[in-house]
Amino acid sequence: DNLKPVIGFITFASNTQRLVKERGGWELLMRDMEADDYDQIVKDLAEVMKNVQDNPLDVLQIPAADQDRVMLCMTVQAFRNHMMADRKNLEDVRDKQTFEKSIVSLRMAFYDKANATKMAQWKDQRG
């Protein structure tokens, strides 16, 4: 649900990329634009935009077999890196090892918190 606002943008970018490829590349598209062929370009783009997908992972071309893992990895990364400054240089969520590392990191964070709580309790008991 959090990605739904950007689906239109992702779809537009993906469809524009496909349209450019179908028209022979950016140079040919620019030539068509310079020749005032805007009407056809707009019609072509409007046609491809009719197929807006609802699932952001489909839009991002994540294979169905990997979608649950990728979404879980994105969730773990968001949980662990809730500050924007923490999100620099994150690993690729599509990589299986990223998910495994994220789970280990999350598990260790819970362990560290539980350990700190236990140590504080022991310190209070000792006086």
Side-chain angles (χ1 to χ4, degrees):
D1 287 338
N2 292 336
L3 296 176
K4 284 190 179 186
V6 297
I7 290 175
F9 170 75
I10 294 169
T11 301
F12 178 78
S14 177
N15 289 338
T16 301
Q17 186 178 32
R18 185 171 53 240
L19 179 64
V20 167
K21 186 176 181 180
E22 288 172 0
R23 287 180 151 269
W26 282 106
E27 288 181 21
L28 292 177
L29 180 64
M30 293 303 290
R31 187 189 68 208
D32 290 346
M33 290 172 71
E34 289 169 1
D36 289 331
D37 193 16
Y38 291 109
D39 289 340
Q40 188 58 47
I41 294 169
V42 170
K43 285 179 187 175
D44 291 346
L45 196 53
E47 184 62 33
V48 295
M49 287 303 292
K50 288 181 182 177
N51 299 318
V52 174
Q53 299 170 342
D54 290 331
N55 184 344
L57 295 174
D58 288 339
V59 173
L60 296 171
Q61 301 173 349
I62 305 295
D66 297 336
Q67 288 185 359
D68 286 343
R69 179 181 45 77
V70 170
M71 282 301 292
L72 285 170
C73 191
M74 290 170 66
T75 302
V76 169
Q77 280 190 349
F79 181 77
R80 294 283 294 142
N81 305 287
H82 58 280
M83 302 294 292
M84 186 58 104
D86 296 338
R87 293 184 184 164
K88 294 178 182 174
N89 304 317
L90 290 178
E91 296 183 39
D92 188 342
V93 294
R94 297 167 296 176
D95 184 353
K96 185 178 180 182
Q97 290 180 347
T98 299
F99 179 64
E100 292 168 357
K101 289 178 190 175
S102 296
I103 293 299
V104 169
S105 174
L106 186 60
R107 187 178 333 145
M108 290 307 297
F110 281 114
Y111 172 79
D112 289 343
K113 183 162 177 63
N115 191 41
T117 300
K118 190 59 137 176
M119 295 302 283
Q121 289 172 349
W122 285 347
K123 184 178 177 183
D124 288 343
Q125 286 176 356
R126 283 189 309 192

